[in-house]
């Protein structure tokens, strides 16, 4: 079965990798900029929170399918994703443009 | 990471008078221009879809039902929904960006676009493009 139970360890490691991206890489937060990054083919990976409205989620997934970009469904809601990014606001979706020192893209695309 | 807003891509217009109509990208301006400092593209779309043609129709009726009314527009990328479909109809020579400035040029461009889209419809290919989007 495909990762039915997301272990605490992998979840923590995603958070760590995300923190490293925030520190060393380039990213954009928010639906509008995520779509912009997909259109301009700058986004390398998309992360969507689990309480993202289903229409918006499918729209981002469709754009990512056209752009052949990995989408990761974060195991947490927009509040958690915002905290994981080190922000004091909610983040529903984010796009990683340049991972910097992090290997988040390699590890998460390897899983899928 | 793959650019998908390329010429011949079928898109759906989301805003404006032509909202909900299908169109095909003719030319893209990713960096924008002086007048439009944002990413936009020139699209040619269907203003009025051809009606459903049935076997019982006479040749005259088929011809009347297969008519397509086209439009040409410069649209911001934000007001388009790209699809996985493409429509390889060569509209590049008929539709140029300067067409939208002069009325008579626009009329000839629209006539040419209409002709090419009708030809494509009659061959029966790209059926998705010529069906109305129901919403």
């Amino acid at each position: 079965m495909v990762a039915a139970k997301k272990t605490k360890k992998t979840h923590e490691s995603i958070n760590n990798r995300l923190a490293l991206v925030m520190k060393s890489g380039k990213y954009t937060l928010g639906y509008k900029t995520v779509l912009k990054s997909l259109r301009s083919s700058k986004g390398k990976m998309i992360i969507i929170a689990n309480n993202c409205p289903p229409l918006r989620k499918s729209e981002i997934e469709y754009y990512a399918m056209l752009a052949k970009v990995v989408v990761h469904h974060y195991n947490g809601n927009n509040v958690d994703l915002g905290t994981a990014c080190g922000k004091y606001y909610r983040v529903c979706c984010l796009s990683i443009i340049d991972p910097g020192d992090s290997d988040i893209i390699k590890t998460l695309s390897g899983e899928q | 990471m793959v650019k998908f807003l390329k010429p011949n891509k079928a898109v759906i217009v989301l805003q404006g008078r032509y909202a909900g109509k299908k169109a095909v990208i003719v030319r893209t301006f990713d960096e924008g221009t002086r007048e439009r400092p944002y990413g936009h593209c020139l699209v040619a779309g269907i203003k009025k879809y051809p009606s459903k043609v049935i076997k019982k129709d006479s040749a005259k009726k088929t011809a009347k039902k297969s008519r397509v009314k086209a439009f040409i527009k410069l649209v911001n990328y934000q007001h388009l929904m790209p699809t996985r479909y493409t429509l390889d109809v060569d509209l590049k020579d008929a539709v140029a960006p300067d067409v939208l400035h002069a009325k008579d040029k626009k009329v000839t461009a629209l006539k040419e676009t209409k002709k090419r889209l009708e030809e494509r419809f009659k061959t029966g290919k790209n059926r998705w493009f010529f069906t109305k989007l129901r919403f």
Side-chain angles (χ1 to χ4, degrees):
Chain A
M1 198 153 182
V2 180
K5 194 154 178 211
K6 190 73 165 282
T7 59
K8 216 160 166 242
K9 260 197 171 164
T10 47
H11 187 59
E12 270 172 29
S13 73
I14 290 171
N15 283 353
N16 293 341
R17 293 203 172 89
L18 203 51
L20 192 48
V21 172
M22 295 294 133
K23 204 159 47 151
S24 63
K26 287 205 184 58
Y27 56 92
T28 64
L29 307 173
Y31 172 65
K32 273 174 86 170
T33 57
V34 161
L35 289 188
K36 265 194 176 166
S37 74
L38 283 168
R39 271 185 218 117
S40 60
S41 60
K42 289 214 172 65
K44 307 242 174 354
M45 180 167 159
I46 312 290
I47 300 179
I48 307 182
N50 69 3
N51 66 343
C52 183
L55 183 61
R56 184 181 292 189
K57 181 161 40 173
S58 350
E59 194 182 353
I60 297 177
E61 284 174 349
Y62 194 80
Y63 269 78
M65 175 270 289
L66 290 174
K68 300 212 213 325
V69 167
V70 174
V71 169
H72 180 249
H73 295 98
Y74 186 73
N75 188 15
N77 61 9
N78 47 7
V79 179
D80 300 333
L81 190 51
T83 312
C85 296
K87 307 288 179 193
Y88 291 108
Y89 44 80
R90 295 172 288 265
V91 168
C92 190
C93 43
L94 69 98
S95 163
I96 297 176
I97 295 175
D98 174 20
D101 297 326
S102 176
D103 60 348
I104 190 171
I105 294 183
K106 289 188 215 65
T107 49
L108 284 179
S109 62
E111 252 173 47
Q112 288 170 350
Chain B
M1 265 190 295
V2 167
K3 251 195 118 331
F4 51 86
L5 286 170
K6 288 205 267 227
N8 294 332
K9 182 66 123 177
V11 295
I12 301 177
V13 180
L14 294 174
Q15 306 275 8
R17 202 152 46 110
Y18 301 114
K21 302 287 195 297
K22 295 178 189 169
V24 61
I25 297 181
V26 176
R27 217 183 123 178
T28 62
F29 301 92
D30 285 331
E31 301 302 320
T33 58
R34 178 86 71 66
E35 289 88 33
R36 290 170 173 257
Y38 46 81
H40 61 285
C41 54
L42 185 59
V43 297
I46 304 181
K47 194 158 150 181
K48 198 159 175 199
Y49 288 90
S51 330
K52 196 156 171 49
V53 175
I54 50 179
K55 255 195 288 225
K56 235 170 56 166
D57 289 334
S58 62
K60 204 170 90 164
K61 224 173 180 167
T62 320
K64 195 156 187 174
K65 279 189 179 179
S66 314
R67 285 189 309 190
V68 166
K69 187 136 174 77
F71 68 87
I72 303 174
K73 192 159 168 56
L74 280 170
V75 190
N76 190 343
Y77 283 157
Q78 287 201 355
H79 304 149
L80 292 175
M81 180 70 204
T83 65
R84 62 184 169 90
Y85 298 96
T86 55
L87 185 81
D88 50 350
V89 164
D90 189 24
L91 291 166
K92 259 194 291 271
D93 48 338
V95 178
D98 60 325
V99 149
L100 294 165
H101 295 302
K103 190 72 185 279
D104 51 343
K105 277 198 252 180
K106 187 170 178 189
V107 167
T108 47
L110 282 171
K111 284 214 180 95
E112 184 62 37
T113 316
K114 172 188 159 76
K115 194 165 72 142
R116 297 209 186 145
L117 287 176
E118 275 179 8
E119 273 171 30
R120 183 49 68 94
F121 173 66
K122 290 197 178 110
T123 63
K125 297 204 204 114
N126 305 117
R127 197 154 292 190
W128 176 85
F129 188 77
F130 293 101
T131 46
K132 192 166 160 175
L133 185 68
R134 310 270 320 169
F135 61 93

